[in-house]
Amino acid sequence: MNLLAQILVNGTLQGGLYAVMALGLALVWGVLNIVNLAHGAFIMLGAYASWYLYTYLHIDPFLGLPITALVMFALGYALQRGLLNLVVRAPMFNTLLITFGLEVVLTYLAQLVFSADFRTINPPYAGNSLVLGSVVLPVARLAAFGVAIVLTIGMWLFLLHTRLGRAIRATAQNLVAARLYGVEPRHLYAMTFAIGIALAGAAGTLYGTVSQINPYIGASLTAKSFAISIIGGLDNPLGVIVGGLFLGIVEALTTLYIGQTFADVASFGILALVLIVRPGGLLGKTA
């Protein structure tokens, strides 16, 4: 029983990180109808940015998270206005090709700059833990979980209660009606993509505090984010939290009872089941 409790806690903490990883992908997909295959590469860049800030400038990764997010926001805005805006209304195959090419370029640029060696962000508290009864809570994972939940709920409140957030939701629902109310699509698309990339950069910071990073982690993170977005549902940011937590717990239980090798099998098996039973996601709208 103690082992099961520890596994459930570990899965929950991992699920919170999964949620913020998928949030940017879900936002860009839901508004721009772009499945960003470079999403994981942006998470990887965010992790390297935090590693650089900590290693060379001695800025704690959690304190440096706003800096990383701001840099990634600027990068995302520039890429959308200068590149992706050219194909934003093109067939999805075109956007898949261009984001795949972007992922390849970013991966090899990261290898060129940082080499293929594994890197870690090890602040002084990285090995500390809190003990609650029989359950051990690693401080770094607990902090990452807390920041991930705050970011996800903050994004939900932003979309509901701010002028820009309402414009983003309106554009996602009906572009023509949004234009009639004075929404300028090109700027809004760039802002949406920039926010998505900023969230990816923040997720990279959190990922770097609990895992090793190298230039090739992007593809697997994109796949995981894709699965979480589908499972939770694109219509509701809170669905991303549910999808991330659900997937984290499923993977933890699979690792305990079957083995680590089958964790990804379970994840994508759940994805297939959700697509069959509830295509809109657990919290998404159904037809």
Side-chain angles (χ1 to χ4, degrees), residues 52-265:
Y52 182 90
L53 289 174
Y54 179 73
T55 302
Y56 294 103
L57 301 180
H58 308 294
I59 299 175
D60 181 274
F62 292 100
L63 296 178
L65 188 148
I67 300 174
T68 299
L70 185 60
V71 170
M72 297 300 291
F73 178 92
L75 175 62
Y77 192 94
L79 282 173
Q80 205 287 330
R81 288 302 293 260
L83 181 64
L84 293 177
N85 195 57
L86 301 175
V87 295
V88 70
R89 287 299 165 190
M92 182 172 285
F93 182 70
N94 291 14
T95 61
L96 289 174
L97 282 177
I98 199 167
T99 56
F100 174 73
L102 189 58
E103 192 271 340
V104 172
V105 170
L106 292 176
T107 297
Y108 283 101
L109 282 177
Q111 180 186 348
L112 180 65
V113 174
F114 299 106
S115 82
D117 295 339
F118 283 91
R119 312 282 183 176
T120 56
I121 303 173
N122 285 316
Y125 50 82
N128 296 348
S129 298
L130 300 176
V131 180
L132 298 178
S134 60
V135 175
V136 178
L137 301 172
V139 169
R141 284 190 174 273
L142 188 61
F145 174 82
V147 173
I149 296 301
V150 168
L151 284 174
T152 307
I153 294 177
M155 189 64 207
W156 178 61
L157 295 175
F158 165 79
L159 289 174
L160 287 179
H161 300 297
T162 67
R163 181 182 178 88
L164 178 59
R166 289 192 291 268
I168 288 173
R169 290 191 296 117
T171 302
Q173 293 168 7
N174 191 320
L175 175 60
V176 174
R179 276 178 166 165
L180 292 176
Y181 277 91
V183 173
E184 204 283 299
R186 288 185 300 174
H187 173 67
L188 188 69
Y189 287 158
M191 288 295 294
T192 302
F193 191 79
I195 292 170
I197 299 309
L199 289 169
T205 296
L206 303 180
Y207 183 89
T209 62
V210 300
S211 301
Q212 292 183 319
I213 57 176
N214 72 29
Y216 301 103
I217 60 174
S220 63
L221 296 180
T222 298
K224 195 77 68 177
S225 300
F226 176 85
I228 294 164
S229 299
I230 293 295
I231 291 171
L234 295 173
D235 301 310
N236 188 345
L238 293 183
V240 178
I241 296 181
V242 173
L245 294 176
F246 182 70
L247 205 63
I249 292 172
V250 166
E251 287 187 358
L253 292 174
T254 302
T255 300
L256 174 62
Y257 291 110
I258 303 177
Q260 176 67 40
T261 307
F262 294 92
D264 285 340
V265 175

